[in-house]
Amino acid sequence: MTGSAASIPSERLAATTLELLAHDTTNPPGDTRAIVDWMDAMLTDAGIGTERVAVDDRKPNLLAAVPGATDRRLLLSGHLDTVPYDADGWSFDPLGERVGERIYGRGTTDMKGAVAAMLEVARYYAESDRQPPVTLAFAFVSDEEVAGDAGITALLDDGRLDADGCVIGEPTCTGSSPSITVADRGSIWLTLESTGEAAHGSRPMLGDNAIDRLWTAIADIRQRLAERELSVPSDVEPIVAESVEYYADSMGRSSAERLFQYPTVNLGTIEGGESINSVPRTGRARLDVRLTAGVETSAVLAEIRGWIENHEHVTVADVSWSVGSFESTDSTLVTAVGDAAESVLDERVYRRSATGGGDAKRLREAGIPTVEFAVATDTAHACDEYTTVDALAATAETYLSLPSAYVARI
């Protein structure tokens, strides 16, 4: 029999989530050996073939697949590492505690709850007489929270991921407006350095303050970027429109419009000088510039370099950059995930851009259409991070409905 069942037992979803939370996978150090051992045994016991791939023995990745009725292949992916936690700030056990319909613990929303849903979808197909209409592949990866090379990057570099589309279980439905993340933003990370002339702090006119020089350059860059309107391709315009509508509830429409119509720039660090009573001879700052998907990052970077050249004694010491990526709102993958999510949630699901970027960007750059979707709460990385049993169920039901929705859109 092909197709999917109506539901996966909520209590089993909750129990699997608690099992995953019990393994401390905070990164650093990001040791995922024990959790992969447990997941590997669970899938193997269900009759699902698995494979481990590791370039760092402490950070293995786990691959699995459930054969489908066609040669189409959908990938569900989730990262196993979490950000660190300070137990003193928690009212509940960071390694998992259930209170009523809430499940607390580091990683419940980001993203062990979604991983639990994926595991239960795999186990459902393996233990029932149903076959998915497409092959369901699973990639459970390490090292995402620190943007390390041992996770999705290692799998891509080794050619281990092959799929017609991918859904990553990042939390995208955390409030009143559920969504699918179909794009990310480009980035420019700049390290600026400045030099000056040291002098005694009581006679600053005898020196040249390197921090003042640096600050003048930073202020110039920020002002110019604030006035630098972005132009996006026509197929990104619907994503921008839905993104503005989505984010308007949380930040106001004007801020949401600026978020995508202009670059954003954050002064992350600034440092220099040795003492309060000395004019600093050197300064150093790091800027984080973000650009809407479809914008030519290299062109904006060239403009920034030109502006900096106007500031004597200020130079670019280091730079890294990326191009924003996206999936068209009318693509097979986006429409299928939208159909599946809306059938489960029974309400509109926005097709929006993320404000940052992660594994989805890497997969898109490798030619694998990718979106993000999971129902969770807006507590990722916070103390007392939690998800709910209903959120777990909605995520699992969407993943379970996806293969049929995808085939219907081909």
Side-chain angles (χ1 to χ4, degrees):
M1 183 185 299
T2 61
S4 64
S7 64
I8 291 173
S10 297
E11 291 305 307
R12 198 152 94 166
L13 282 165
T16 299
T17 302
L18 286 166
E19 289 280 4
L20 295 173
L21 294 170
H23 294 91
D24 188 346
T25 56
T26 51
N27 198 3
D31 192 328
T32 55
R33 287 174 291 186
I35 196 171
V36 165
D37 285 345
W38 183 85
M39 295 169 61
D40 196 352
M42 172 190 172
L43 293 170
T44 301
D45 289 347
I48 299 170
T50 63
E51 182 180 7
R52 299 190 197 200
V53 179
V55 295
D56 181 335
D57 291 341
R58 300 166 302 166
K59 300 178 179 182
N61 306 293
L62 185 65
L63 303 178
V66 177
T70 69
D71 60 358
R72 295 280 182 162
R73 188 178 180 90
L74 285 179
L75 175 66
L76 297 178
S77 180
H79 65 82
L80 305 177
D81 59 324
T82 69
V83 296
Y85 60 85
D86 178 2
D88 291 340
W90 284 64
S91 304
F92 305 93
D93 188 347
L95 295 182
E97 181 177 349
R98 180 172 179 177
V99 180
E101 294 302 293
R102 289 188 176 187
I103 299 174
Y104 292 90
R106 174 57 80 225
T108 48
T109 58
D110 187 17
M111 53 180 292
K112 290 181 177 177
V115 170
M118 294 175 190
L119 288 170
E120 289 303 331
V121 167
R123 186 157 71 166
Y124 165 80
Y125 278 115
E127 294 180 349
S128 71
D129 63 347
R130 295 175 180 266
Q131 182 184 37
V134 298
T135 292
L136 278 179
F138 300 86
F140 302 109
V141 303
S142 301
D143 225 18
E144 191 271 350
E145 291 292 1
V146 296
D149 294 331
I152 206 81
T153 299
L155 294 175
L156 289 171
D157 287 348
D158 199 35
R160 307 310 293 269
L161 297 180
D162 177 26
D164 296 292
C166 174
V167 177
I168 297 177
E170 292 288 353
T172 59
C173 307
T174 59
S176 59
S177 301
S179 66
I180 306 164
T181 298
V182 302
D184 53 61
R185 297 167 79 205
S187 64
I188 301 172
W189 286 2
L190 283 170
T191 300
L192 304 181
E193 289 183 348
S194 62
T195 57
E197 288 291 334
H200 196 283
S202 66
R203 300 184 296 276
M205 67 288 295
L206 298 181
D208 285 303
N209 191 305
I211 296 178
D212 285 344
R213 287 174 167 174
L214 184 60
W215 182 256
T216 299
I218 292 169
D220 182 34
I221 293 169
R222 295 173 87 168
Q223 181 61 37
R224 290 175 183 271
L225 288 174
E227 298 171 352
R228 207 277 193 193
E229 191 167 1
L230 299 174
S231 177
V232 300
S234 58
D235 46 359
V236 178
E237 291 176 356
I239 300 173
V240 170
E242 290 213 30
S243 298
V244 168
E245 190 174 351
Y246 174 85
Y247 287 107
D249 283 345
S250 61
M251 64 179 65
R253 178 163 291 274
S254 177
S255 294
E257 289 173 346
R258 289 200 64 85
L259 182 65
F260 294 100
Q261 293 174 359
Y262 296 86
T264 60
V265 55
N266 177 63
L267 173 59
T269 66
I270 185 167
E271 54 190 325
E274 297 178 354
S275 64
I276 193 172
N277 61 343
S278 296
V279 175
R281 189 179 64 83
T282 61
R284 185 180 178 91
R286 289 185 291 175
L287 297 176
D288 179 358
V289 180
R290 303 292 175 118
L291 308 166
T292 304
V295 173
E296 292 186 22
T297 306
S298 59
V300 177
L301 176 57
E303 292 181 38
I304 293 174
R305 287 185 181 277
W307 302 334
I308 293 172
E309 288 176 359
N310 295 327
H311 295 272
E312 192 176 5
H313 306 296
V314 178
T315 59
V316 177
D318 190 33
V319 62
S320 63
W321 57 278
S322 68
V323 179
S325 63
F326 65 95
E327 302 297 336
S328 297
T329 55
D330 60 355
S331 72
T332 300
L333 179 65
V334 172
T335 53
V337 176
D339 291 346
E342 288 175 349
S343 70
V344 171
L345 300 176
D346 196 27
E347 57 181 312
R348 176 187 178 180
V349 175
Y350 287 86
R351 281 72 162 164
R352 67 170 173 96
S353 173
T355 56
D359 282 350
K361 181 191 292 289
R362 294 183 178 92
L363 287 162
R364 292 188 193 117
E365 290 172 348
I368 300 175
T370 302
V371 301
E372 298 171 333
F373 175 85
V375 183
T377 66
D378 193 17
T379 58
H381 297 196
C383 290
D384 291 338
E385 180 181 353
Y386 75 92
T387 191
T388 67
V389 175
D390 283 347
L392 293 171
T395 301
E397 294 309 310
T398 301
Y399 295 163
L400 194 61
S401 301
L402 177 59
S404 296
Y406 185 81
V407 168
R409 285 289 184 172
I410 295 175

